[in-house]
Amino acid sequence: VIALRLALAHLLVLAAGDALAIRAGVRHRATRFALAIALGALATSAVIFFESLIFEGHVSALTVAPPLLLVASIRPRPGLRPRLPGTLEVALALPLFGLAAANAGKTLATELRGDAANVWEIKAGIAFEARGVPASHFEDDSRAFSHREYPWLVPLGECWLYFATDVRDADVAKSFFPLVFAALLAGFFGAAARRLDRPTAVLATIALGTVPLLVHTAASSYADVTLAMFSMLGAIHAAEWLASGRTSDALLAAALGVGAAWTKREGVLALGLVTATFLGGRLAGRSALESRRALLALVALALPLLGTWQLVLSKHHVRAEDFGAFQPGRLVPIAKLVLADLALPDQIPRVWGVVWLALGASLALRAWTSDRLVFVAFALVPIAVLPLAYAFSTWPSWQTHVGTSLNRILLPQVPTALLALVATQERRSARTTGRAGT
Amino acid sequence: VKLLLLRVALAVQCVIGAWALARPHGEEPASDAPKERLLAWVDANVPRDAASLLLVGGDEPFFFRASSRLYPRTVIWLSPQDERWGTPLPREPGEWQRLIQRTSARFAFTEGVDPATIPAPGGVVAIDAARGEHLATLR
């Protein structure tokens, strides 16, 4: 019975996300699947968050399901009927299904530990027990270790599964993450197939799905791979908007940027980069009107959720425990640590593979399309900016702070770094790829 | 040429990735099952409206897990060491009294500390967390 309820809970999230993706005009199956998971998780967590504010203590599967069903019932645009995949397409996709299945098995076999339990699942459990995010949680100093200032997409994604099954069980929570990993691969493949022939796009996706740190982190049920998914999909749709100027692409990029900021605090950078893309649209030939519409879409999506979240934090005087005064003397040592982490030869087989090496080498190639600029910015700006936070660290040893988290804050940039490599190839025309949209 | 270079880079990444993933990835940490059993026991036996519970001793991961597992009770970690998320362990009866008044704690559970030294007014659940054994309940 629990397995059936769990399957239905996942299906409802997928249906809601898919309805939004189709409504935005997305036709490519892999991209649609990725967006169904990302937008579904965003919608689900937003529904639980707002319901918690309105009727705290009474949120349940019965209150969360109707809004999701309503979203799932959004009708697609006329003429957008998906076609069935051909035999060759299915055969090419088999290795990707294999990677996703292997990750699912590894995730379910891995115990929830560290941040997966103490930062993310604990909040899911609290919201489940309290029937909604309880205001008292933000006042309870005994749980300061769980980082009350962190956003809620992952905990409420897990909490929805608890509501649906009516049990708080680690395996139920963990079932959230294999779908995220599958969405990461699918979204990457969708973008790669716009620029490469199918076998090379599959090869590129396997290259992503075998980056050692990505695979291990995905299986540990940490939120970093979820952030990677939102950041990558946000970059893809920001690039799509630069190419098309369509408001639907702007809405998708904005929603995915909001999803990134609602997953982890460093996701704000992805949202900032989506904003920068909209602001800089004129340089890539977009009109002022298109830029204004895109920015309006972004504000309309970001303000209700992220603005309300900031109000909640400020009402309860919640502040970050890990950061305090700026220590400029740490900047040079931090830069050295980051460079060593990315470039040391012993990191290649264990952590990153050749991702950063290949990206660094590819920067010498002169093929600066707007797509490639967007992907390079989404990959490199966070790497340049995020480690600066260690100059504010209040940990007794800031080096320990770096050692425990640097790889994880760099990890979400891996998919866009690989896309920056892929984008050294010209976009294939709609006629070649046989589709009009992503 | 660019496509060829890209394919080579991707193929190298796939080979390195597959090789890395085929290697054992460190040692699996020991199972938490015994600690889970003891938290289940505390959860089942200490009233849910007991506002605060004192965890005396134990380590940081155990405190995090207890805090999560025993919600809605608030777990206050009394640690002999100067831990970041802990409260110093009282050393004399007066300190215990002040702590109990401040936290309104009626119950305590412990790992590695003699339960007879803990003056919780409602009771002390003493458990050997390493073995997951319930040692004593003092009233």
Side-chain angles (χ1 to χ4, degrees), chain A residues 314-359:
Chain A
S314 102
K315 179 184 169 194
H316 295 286
H317 308 288
V318 179
R319 58 182 191 82
E321 302 277 344
D322 286 336
F323 301 101
F326 178 55
Q327 307 286 336
R330 296 179 189 168
L331 288 176
V332 173
I334 288 169
K336 284 181 182 169
L337 284 170
V338 173
L339 287 174
D341 190 72
L342 295 176
L344 278 182
D346 69 335
Q347 295 284 80
I348 290 175
R350 291 186 302 110
V351 183
W352 303 117
V354 293
V355 172
W356 302 119
L357 205 65
L359 177 65

mmCIF file of all heavy atoms in Angstrom, chain A residues 314-359:
data_model
loop_
_atom_site.group_PDB
_atom_site.id
_atom_site.type_symbol
_atom_site.label_atom_id
_atom_site.label_comp_id
_atom_site.label_asym_id
_atom_site.label_seq_id
_atom_site.Cartn_x
_atom_site.Cartn_y
_atom_site.Cartn_z
ATOM 1 N N SER A 314 12.989 36.986 8.463
ATOM 2 C CA SER A 314 13.222 38.228 9.197
ATOM 3 C C SER A 314 12.256 38.349 10.369
ATOM 4 O O SER A 314 12.615 38.865 11.424
ATOM 5 C CB SER A 314 13.180 39.406 8.231
ATOM 6 O OG SER A 314 12.025 40.080 8.297
ATOM 7 N N LYS A 315 11.029 37.824 10.215
ATOM 8 C CA LYS A 315 10.067 37.862 11.332
ATOM 9 C C LYS A 315 10.615 37.083 12.541
ATOM 10 O O LYS A 315 10.429 37.485 13.689
ATOM 11 C CB LYS A 315 8.741 37.253 10.869
ATOM 12 C CG LYS A 315 7.667 37.219 11.947
ATOM 13 C CD LYS A 315 6.414 36.520 11.456
ATOM 14 C CE LYS A 315 5.481 36.258 12.634
ATOM 15 N NZ LYS A 315 4.430 35.304 12.284
ATOM 16 N N HIS A 316 11.272 35.959 12.262
ATOM 17 C CA HIS A 316 11.757 35.116 13.366
ATOM 18 C C HIS A 316 13.225 35.388 13.698
ATOM 19 O O HIS A 316 13.816 34.658 14.490
ATOM 20 C CB HIS A 316 11.571 33.640 13.001
ATOM 21 C CG HIS A 316 10.136 33.246 12.869
ATOM 22 N ND1 HIS A 316 9.309 33.083 13.959
ATOM 23 C CD2 HIS A 316 9.367 33.003 11.782
ATOM 24 C CE1 HIS A 316 8.094 32.748 13.548
ATOM 25 N NE2 HIS A 316 8.109 32.700 12.232
ATOM 26 N N HIS A 317 13.781 36.439 13.099
ATOM 27 C CA HIS A 317 15.172 36.835 13.363
ATOM 28 C C HIS A 317 16.138 35.675 13.164
ATOM 29 O O HIS A 317 17.063 35.458 13.960
ATOM 30 C CB HIS A 317 15.327 37.395 14.790
ATOM 31 C CG HIS A 317 14.335 38.472 15.091
ATOM 32 N ND1 HIS A 317 14.420 39.722 14.525
ATOM 33 C CD2 HIS A 317 13.237 38.484 15.870
ATOM 34 C CE1 HIS A 317 13.408 40.463 14.954
ATOM 35 N NE2 HIS A 317 12.665 39.737 15.761
ATOM 36 N N VAL A 318 15.909 34.879 12.116
ATOM 37 C CA VAL A 318 16.810 33.755 11.823
ATOM 38 C C VAL A 318 17.988 34.297 11.013
ATOM 39 O O VAL A 318 17.800 35.013 10.033
ATOM 40 C CB VAL A 318 16.088 32.668 10.989
ATOM 41 C CG1 VAL A 318 17.041 31.528 10.677
ATOM 42 C CG2 VAL A 318 14.882 32.158 11.737
ATOM 43 N N ARG A 319 19.178 33.965 11.445
ATOM 44 C CA ARG A 319 20.332 34.411 10.665
ATOM 45 C C ARG A 319 21.323 33.253 10.523
ATOM 46 O O ARG A 319 21.264 32.279 11.266
ATOM 47 C CB ARG A 319 21.006 35.626 11.303
ATOM 48 C CG ARG A 319 21.475 35.386 12.713
ATOM 49 C CD ARG A 319 22.089 36.637 13.300
ATOM 50 N NE ARG A 319 22.755 36.323 14.553
ATOM 51 C CZ ARG A 319 23.974 35.826 14.628
ATOM 52 N NH1 ARG A 319 24.670 35.589 13.549
ATOM 53 N NH2 ARG A 319 24.508 35.548 15.804
ATOM 54 N N ALA A 320 22.204 33.397 9.522
ATOM 55 C CA ALA A 320 23.163 32.327 9.239
ATOM 56 C C ALA A 320 24.127 32.174 10.409
ATOM 57 O O ALA A 320 24.671 33.167 10.895
ATOM 58 C CB ALA A 320 23.916 32.648 7.962
ATOM 59 N N GLU A 321 24.304 30.928 10.845
ATOM 60 C CA GLU A 321 25.184 30.671 11.988
ATOM 61 C C GLU A 321 26.658 30.623 11.568
ATOM 62 O O GLU A 321 27.543 30.823 12.384
ATOM 63 C CB GLU A 321 24.827 29.323 12.626
ATOM 64 C CG GLU A 321 23.390 29.209 13.111
ATOM 65 C CD GLU A 321 23.224 29.824 14.486
ATOM 66 O OE1 GLU A 321 24.250 30.051 15.162
ATOM 67 O OE2 GLU A 321 22.065 30.072 14.878
ATOM 68 N N ASP A 322 26.886 30.318 10.294
ATOM 69 C CA ASP A 322 28.250 30.001 9.859
ATOM 70 C C ASP A 322 29.062 31.204 9.398
ATOM 71 O O ASP A 322 30.247 31.069 9.130
ATOM 72 C CB ASP A 322 28.199 28.992 8.697
ATOM 73 C CG ASP A 322 27.839 27.599 9.186
ATOM 74 O OD1 ASP A 322 28.076 27.324 10.372
ATOM 75 O OD2 ASP A 322 27.327 26.808 8.386
ATOM 76 N N PHE A 323 28.403 32.361 9.264
ATOM 77 C CA PHE A 323 29.113 33.492 8.661
ATOM 78 C C PHE A 323 29.009 34.750 9.521
ATOM 79 O O PHE A 323 27.961 35.022 10.107
ATOM 80 C CB PHE A 323 28.578 33.756 7.248
ATOM 81 C CG PHE A 323 28.723 32.563 6.351
ATOM 82 C CD1 PHE A 323 27.633 31.743 6.083
ATOM 83 C CD2 PHE A 323 29.956 32.210 5.838
ATOM 84 C CE1 PHE A 323 27.768 30.611 5.296
ATOM 85 C CE2 PHE A 323 30.108 31.079 5.045
ATOM 86 C CZ PHE A 323 29.017 30.276 4.778
ATOM 87 N N GLY A 324 30.144 35.473 9.587
ATOM 88 C CA GLY A 324 30.194 36.692 10.395
ATOM 89 C C GLY A 324 30.979 37.773 9.689
ATOM 90 O O GLY A 324 30.721 38.079 8.512
ATOM 91 N N ALA A 325 31.969 38.303 10.383
ATOM 92 C CA ALA A 325 32.714 39.451 9.844
ATOM 93 C C ALA A 325 33.668 39.009 8.721
ATOM 94 O O ALA A 325 34.180 37.881 8.716
ATOM 95 C CB ALA A 325 33.513 40.115 10.954
ATOM 96 N N PHE A 326 33.907 39.931 7.789
ATOM 97 C CA PHE A 326 34.790 39.681 6.640
ATOM 98 C C PHE A 326 36.247 39.640 7.100
ATOM 99 O O PHE A 326 36.696 40.514 7.849
ATOM 100 C CB PHE A 326 34.577 40.796 5.614
ATOM 101 C CG PHE A 326 35.453 40.682 4.393
ATOM 102 C CD1 PHE A 326 35.468 39.528 3.624
ATOM 103 C CD2 PHE A 326 36.241 41.754 4.000
ATOM 104 C CE1 PHE A 326 36.261 39.437 2.493
ATOM 105 C CE2 PHE A 326 37.041 41.666 2.860
ATOM 106 C CZ PHE A 326 37.051 40.494 2.115
ATOM 107 N N GLN A 327 36.976 38.616 6.656
ATOM 108 C CA GLN A 327 38.395 38.467 6.996
ATOM 109 C C GLN A 327 39.211 38.515 5.702
ATOM 110 O O GLN A 327 39.429 37.475 5.072
ATOM 111 C CB GLN A 327 38.643 37.125 7.699
ATOM 112 C CG GLN A 327 37.767 36.845 8.899
ATOM 113 C CD GLN A 327 38.186 37.666 10.108
ATOM 114 O OE1 GLN A 327 39.339 38.091 10.200
ATOM 115 N NE2 GLN A 327 37.257 37.915 11.014
ATOM 116 N N PRO A 328 39.628 39.706 5.267
ATOM 117 C CA PRO A 328 40.286 39.817 3.949
ATOM 118 C C PRO A 328 41.571 39.004 3.839
ATOM 119 O O PRO A 328 41.949 38.590 2.736
ATOM 120 C CB PRO A 328 40.567 41.320 3.811
ATOM 121 C CG PRO A 328 40.433 41.891 5.177
ATOM 122 C CD PRO A 328 39.524 41.006 5.949
ATOM 123 N N GLY A 329 42.228 38.736 4.963
ATOM 124 C CA GLY A 329 43.485 38.003 4.917
ATOM 125 C C GLY A 329 43.341 36.578 4.414
ATOM 126 O O GLY A 329 44.331 35.924 4.075
ATOM 127 N N ARG A 330 42.098 36.080 4.341
ATOM 128 C CA ARG A 330 41.896 34.696 3.889
ATOM 129 C C ARG A 330 41.752 34.588 2.373
ATOM 130 O O ARG A 330 41.729 33.474 1.837
ATOM 131 C CB ARG A 330 40.606 34.133 4.518
ATOM 132 C CG ARG A 330 40.643 34.018 6.016
ATOM 133 C CD ARG A 330 39.304 33.482 6.485
ATOM 134 N NE ARG A 330 39.179 33.538 7.936
ATOM 135 C CZ ARG A 330 38.042 33.341 8.575
ATOM 136 N NH1 ARG A 330 36.943 33.085 7.909
ATOM 137 N NH2 ARG A 330 37.998 33.404 9.885
ATOM 138 N N LEU A 331 41.603 35.715 1.678
ATOM 139 C CA LEU A 331 41.236 35.648 0.259
ATOM 140 C C LEU A 331 42.269 34.889 -0.577
ATOM 141 O O LEU A 331 41.905 34.021 -1.380
ATOM 142 C CB LEU A 331 41.033 37.061 -0.302
ATOM 143 C CG LEU A 331 39.754 37.757 0.190
ATOM 144 C CD1 LEU A 331 39.687 39.179 -0.330
ATOM 145 C CD2 LEU A 331 38.508 36.985 -0.226
ATOM 146 N N VAL A 332 43.538 35.197 -0.385
ATOM 147 C CA VAL A 332 44.574 34.534 -1.194
ATOM 148 C C VAL A 332 44.637 33.039 -0.871
ATOM 149 O O VAL A 332 44.623 32.194 -1.793
ATOM 150 C CB VAL A 332 45.938 35.235 -1.018
ATOM 151 C CG1 VAL A 332 47.043 34.453 -1.726
ATOM 152 C CG2 VAL A 332 45.862 36.658 -1.570
ATOM 153 N N PRO A 333 44.687 32.657 0.425
ATOM 154 C CA PRO A 333 44.683 31.212 0.700
ATOM 155 C C PRO A 333 43.449 30.500 0.147
ATOM 156 O O PRO A 333 43.551 29.369 -0.327
ATOM 157 C CB PRO A 333 44.690 31.138 2.237
ATOM 158 C CG PRO A 333 45.174 32.457 2.698
ATOM 159 C CD PRO A 333 44.847 33.457 1.646
ATOM 160 N N ILE A 334 42.296 31.179 0.177
ATOM 161 C CA ILE A 334 41.078 30.551 -0.368
ATOM 162 C C ILE A 334 41.242 30.311 -1.867
ATOM 163 O O ILE A 334 40.931 29.228 -2.373
ATOM 164 C CB ILE A 334 39.835 31.445 -0.098
ATOM 165 C CG1 ILE A 334 39.462 31.402 1.380
ATOM 166 C CG2 ILE A 334 38.643 30.998 -0.945
ATOM 167 C CD1 ILE A 334 38.434 32.436 1.787
ATOM 168 N N ALA A 335 41.750 31.325 -2.581
ATOM 169 C CA ALA A 335 41.939 31.178 -4.032
ATOM 170 C C ALA A 335 42.876 30.005 -4.326
ATOM 171 O O ALA A 335 42.633 29.209 -5.248
ATOM 172 C CB ALA A 335 42.493 32.468 -4.616
ATOM 173 N N LYS A 336 43.922 29.874 -3.519
ATOM 174 C CA LYS A 336 44.864 28.761 -3.737
ATOM 175 C C LYS A 336 44.170 27.416 -3.508
ATOM 176 O O LYS A 336 44.377 26.460 -4.264
ATOM 177 C CB LYS A 336 46.059 28.898 -2.778
ATOM 178 C CG LYS A 336 47.046 29.977 -3.209
ATOM 179 C CD LYS A 336 48.204 30.025 -2.225
ATOM 180 C CE LYS A 336 49.186 31.125 -2.600
ATOM 181 N NZ LYS A 336 50.160 31.372 -1.532
ATOM 182 N N LEU A 337 43.357 27.351 -2.445
ATOM 183 C CA LEU A 337 42.658 26.093 -2.152
ATOM 184 C C LEU A 337 41.700 25.720 -3.275
ATOM 185 O O LEU A 337 41.581 24.552 -3.648
ATOM 186 C CB LEU A 337 41.889 26.214 -0.826
ATOM 187 C CG LEU A 337 42.734 26.148 0.450
ATOM 188 C CD1 LEU A 337 41.901 26.533 1.667
ATOM 189 C CD2 LEU A 337 43.280 24.729 0.641
ATOM 190 N N VAL A 338 40.998 26.713 -3.818
ATOM 191 C CA VAL A 338 40.040 26.432 -4.892
ATOM 192 C C VAL A 338 40.777 25.940 -6.136
ATOM 193 O O VAL A 338 40.394 24.926 -6.744
ATOM 194 C CB VAL A 338 39.204 27.696 -5.229
ATOM 195 C CG1 VAL A 338 38.331 27.455 -6.458
ATOM 196 C CG2 VAL A 338 38.334 28.083 -4.050
ATOM 197 N N LEU A 339 41.843 26.639 -6.502
ATOM 198 C CA LEU A 339 42.596 26.225 -7.695
ATOM 199 C C LEU A 339 43.165 24.823 -7.517
ATOM 200 O O LEU A 339 43.125 23.997 -8.437
ATOM 201 C CB LEU A 339 43.722 27.221 -7.986
ATOM 202 C CG LEU A 339 43.240 28.567 -8.565
ATOM 203 C CD1 LEU A 339 44.401 29.540 -8.687
ATOM 204 C CD2 LEU A 339 42.588 28.349 -9.936
ATOM 205 N N ALA A 340 43.672 24.555 -6.323
ATOM 206 C CA ALA A 340 44.225 23.219 -6.063
ATOM 207 C C ALA A 340 43.132 22.169 -6.170
ATOM 208 O O ALA A 340 43.339 21.087 -6.736
ATOM 209 C CB ALA A 340 44.859 23.182 -4.675
ATOM 210 N N ASP A 341 41.934 22.502 -5.658
ATOM 211 C CA ASP A 341 40.845 21.536 -5.678
ATOM 212 C C ASP A 341 40.437 21.189 -7.110
ATOM 213 O O ASP A 341 40.116 20.042 -7.420
ATOM 214 C CB ASP A 341 39.628 22.114 -4.934
ATOM 215 C CG ASP A 341 38.566 21.056 -4.718
ATOM 216 O OD1 ASP A 341 38.799 20.182 -3.873
ATOM 217 O OD2 ASP A 341 37.536 21.083 -5.411
ATOM 218 N N LEU A 342 40.459 22.211 -7.979
ATOM 219 C CA LEU A 342 40.004 21.976 -9.346
ATOM 220 C C LEU A 342 41.088 21.362 -10.228
ATOM 221 O O LEU A 342 40.783 20.647 -11.181
ATOM 222 C CB LEU A 342 39.536 23.297 -9.981
ATOM 223 C CG LEU A 342 38.310 23.941 -9.339
ATOM 224 C CD1 LEU A 342 38.016 25.275 -9.990
ATOM 225 C CD2 LEU A 342 37.101 23.025 -9.456
ATOM 226 N N ALA A 343 42.345 21.655 -9.928
ATOM 227 C CA ALA A 343 43.390 21.330 -10.896
ATOM 228 C C ALA A 343 44.373 20.258 -10.441
ATOM 229 O O ALA A 343 45.160 19.779 -11.259
ATOM 230 C CB ALA A 343 44.155 22.606 -11.262
ATOM 231 N N LEU A 344 44.372 19.891 -9.169
ATOM 232 C CA LEU A 344 45.365 18.893 -8.735
ATOM 233 C C LEU A 344 45.130 17.551 -9.434
ATOM 234 O O LEU A 344 43.988 17.098 -9.525
ATOM 235 C CB LEU A 344 45.301 18.693 -7.216
ATOM 236 C CG LEU A 344 46.055 19.708 -6.368
ATOM 237 C CD1 LEU A 344 45.936 19.343 -4.890
ATOM 238 C CD2 LEU A 344 47.530 19.786 -6.760
ATOM 239 N N PRO A 345 46.194 16.928 -9.918
ATOM 240 C CA PRO A 345 46.013 15.684 -10.679
ATOM 241 C C PRO A 345 45.286 14.595 -9.884
ATOM 242 O O PRO A 345 44.522 13.825 -10.471
ATOM 243 C CB PRO A 345 47.452 15.250 -10.993
ATOM 244 C CG PRO A 345 48.255 16.499 -10.904
ATOM 245 C CD PRO A 345 47.590 17.365 -9.893
ATOM 246 N N ASP A 346 45.491 14.554 -8.557
ATOM 247 C CA ASP A 346 44.846 13.447 -7.826
ATOM 248 C C ASP A 346 43.337 13.653 -7.690
ATOM 249 O O ASP A 346 42.610 12.757 -7.270
ATOM 250 C CB ASP A 346 45.496 13.232 -6.452
ATOM 251 C CG ASP A 346 45.212 14.369 -5.502
ATOM 252 O OD1 ASP A 346 44.949 15.481 -5.995
ATOM 253 O OD2 ASP A 346 45.246 14.149 -4.284
ATOM 254 N N GLN A 347 42.842 14.853 -8.035
ATOM 255 C CA GLN A 347 41.391 15.093 -8.006
ATOM 256 C C GLN A 347 40.721 14.530 -9.260
ATOM 257 O O GLN A 347 39.510 14.343 -9.271
ATOM 258 C CB GLN A 347 41.091 16.601 -7.934
ATOM 259 C CG GLN A 347 41.555 17.275 -6.656
ATOM 260 C CD GLN A 347 40.644 16.959 -5.486
ATOM 261 O OE1 GLN A 347 40.742 15.881 -4.890
ATOM 262 N NE2 GLN A 347 39.757 17.858 -5.164
ATOM 263 N N ILE A 348 41.517 14.307 -10.330
ATOM 264 C CA ILE A 348 40.920 13.874 -11.595
ATOM 265 C C ILE A 348 40.282 12.486 -11.474
ATOM 266 O O ILE A 348 39.094 12.334 -11.761
ATOM 267 C CB ILE A 348 41.964 13.923 -12.736
ATOM 268 C CG1 ILE A 348 42.270 15.396 -13.049
ATOM 269 C CG2 ILE A 348 41.458 13.205 -13.990
ATOM 270 C CD1 ILE A 348 43.365 15.606 -14.067
ATOM 271 N N PRO A 349 41.011 11.480 -11.000
ATOM 272 C CA PRO A 349 40.369 10.163 -10.965
ATOM 273 C C PRO A 349 39.323 10.025 -9.860
ATOM 274 O O PRO A 349 38.383 9.247 -10.002
ATOM 275 C CB PRO A 349 41.539 9.200 -10.719
ATOM 276 C CG PRO A 349 42.597 10.023 -10.101
ATOM 277 C CD PRO A 349 42.433 11.412 -10.619
ATOM 278 N N ARG A 350 39.472 10.798 -8.762
ATOM 279 C CA ARG A 350 38.597 10.554 -7.616
ATOM 280 C C ARG A 350 37.364 11.457 -7.598
ATOM 281 O O ARG A 350 36.338 11.107 -7.044
ATOM 282 C CB ARG A 350 39.355 10.788 -6.299
ATOM 283 C CG ARG A 350 40.439 9.768 -5.995
ATOM 284 C CD ARG A 350 41.029 9.979 -4.612
ATOM 285 N NE ARG A 350 41.591 11.307 -4.454
ATOM 286 C CZ ARG A 350 41.060 12.250 -3.681
ATOM 287 N NH1 ARG A 350 39.981 11.999 -2.997
ATOM 288 N NH2 ARG A 350 41.645 13.435 -3.581
ATOM 289 N N VAL A 351 37.508 12.672 -8.150
ATOM 290 C CA VAL A 351 36.473 13.669 -7.897
ATOM 291 C C VAL A 351 35.821 14.196 -9.185
ATOM 292 O O VAL A 351 34.629 14.025 -9.407
ATOM 293 C CB VAL A 351 37.062 14.853 -7.087
ATOM 294 C CG1 VAL A 351 35.978 15.866 -6.739
ATOM 295 C CG2 VAL A 351 37.725 14.350 -5.810
ATOM 296 N N TRP A 352 36.628 14.844 -10.017
ATOM 297 C CA TRP A 352 36.036 15.619 -11.111
ATOM 298 C C TRP A 352 36.170 14.976 -12.480
ATOM 299 O O TRP A 352 35.553 15.457 -13.433
ATOM 300 C CB TRP A 352 36.695 17.008 -11.185
ATOM 301 C CG TRP A 352 36.620 17.821 -9.942
ATOM 302 C CD1 TRP A 352 37.667 18.247 -9.176
ATOM 303 C CD2 TRP A 352 35.436 18.338 -9.309
ATOM 304 N NE1 TRP A 352 37.213 18.979 -8.105
ATOM 305 C CE2 TRP A 352 35.849 19.054 -8.160
ATOM 306 C CE3 TRP A 352 34.080 18.261 -9.592
ATOM 307 C CZ2 TRP A 352 34.947 19.680 -7.299
ATOM 308 C CZ3 TRP A 352 33.188 18.876 -8.742
ATOM 309 C CH2 TRP A 352 33.615 19.573 -7.608
ATOM 310 N N GLY A 353 36.988 13.938 -12.619
ATOM 311 C CA GLY A 353 37.309 13.505 -13.971
ATOM 312 C C GLY A 353 38.059 14.622 -14.681
ATOM 313 O O GLY A 353 38.781 15.397 -14.044
ATOM 314 N N VAL A 354 37.838 14.755 -16.001
ATOM 315 C CA VAL A 354 38.573 15.789 -16.748
ATOM 316 C C VAL A 354 37.696 17.012 -17.034
ATOM 317 O O VAL A 354 38.013 17.817 -17.897
ATOM 318 C CB VAL A 354 39.148 15.229 -18.073
ATOM 319 C CG1 VAL A 354 40.227 14.202 -17.795
ATOM 320 C CG2 VAL A 354 38.047 14.658 -18.949
ATOM 321 N N VAL A 355 36.600 17.155 -16.266
ATOM 322 C CA VAL A 355 35.639 18.225 -16.560
ATOM 323 C C VAL A 355 36.306 19.598 -16.591
ATOM 324 O O VAL A 355 36.194 20.347 -17.568
ATOM 325 C CB VAL A 355 34.500 18.223 -15.522
ATOM 326 C CG1 VAL A 355 33.607 19.454 -15.696
ATOM 327 C CG2 VAL A 355 33.672 16.963 -15.662
ATOM 328 N N TRP A 356 37.037 19.935 -15.522
ATOM 329 C CA TRP A 356 37.577 21.302 -15.433
ATOM 330 C C TRP A 356 38.760 21.490 -16.378
ATOM 331 O O TRP A 356 38.930 22.559 -16.959
ATOM 332 C CB TRP A 356 37.994 21.624 -13.988
ATOM 333 C CG TRP A 356 36.849 21.479 -13.038
ATOM 334 C CD1 TRP A 356 36.752 20.626 -11.984
ATOM 335 C CD2 TRP A 356 35.599 22.186 -13.078
ATOM 336 N NE1 TRP A 356 35.532 20.742 -11.363
ATOM 337 C CE2 TRP A 356 34.806 21.700 -12.015
ATOM 338 C CE3 TRP A 356 35.070 23.165 -13.910
ATOM 339 C CZ2 TRP A 356 33.521 22.171 -11.760
ATOM 340 C CZ3 TRP A 356 33.786 23.637 -13.657
ATOM 341 C CH2 TRP A 356 33.038 23.144 -12.594
ATOM 342 N N LEU A 357 39.529 20.414 -16.522
ATOM 343 C CA LEU A 357 40.657 20.461 -17.461
ATOM 344 C C LEU A 357 40.147 20.737 -18.877
ATOM 345 O O LEU A 357 40.646 21.617 -19.590
ATOM 346 C CB LEU A 357 41.365 19.105 -17.419
ATOM 347 C CG LEU A 357 42.829 19.036 -17.800
ATOM 348 C CD1 LEU A 357 43.665 19.816 -16.813
ATOM 349 C CD2 LEU A 357 43.284 17.571 -17.855
ATOM 350 N N ALA A 358 39.117 19.982 -19.275
ATOM 351 C CA ALA A 358 38.578 20.130 -20.629
ATOM 352 C C ALA A 358 37.933 21.506 -20.793
ATOM 353 O O ALA A 358 38.092 22.151 -21.846
ATOM 354 C CB ALA A 358 37.557 19.024 -20.903
ATOM 355 N N LEU A 359 37.224 21.969 -19.756
ATOM 356 C CA LEU A 359 36.594 23.295 -19.860
ATOM 357 C C LEU A 359 37.672 24.369 -20.011
ATOM 358 O O LEU A 359 37.563 25.255 -20.859
ATOM 359 C CB LEU A 359 35.727 23.589 -18.631
ATOM 360 C CG LEU A 359 35.090 24.979 -18.636
ATOM 361 C CD1 LEU A 359 34.084 25.121 -19.783
ATOM 362 C CD2 LEU A 359 34.402 25.293 -17.314
#
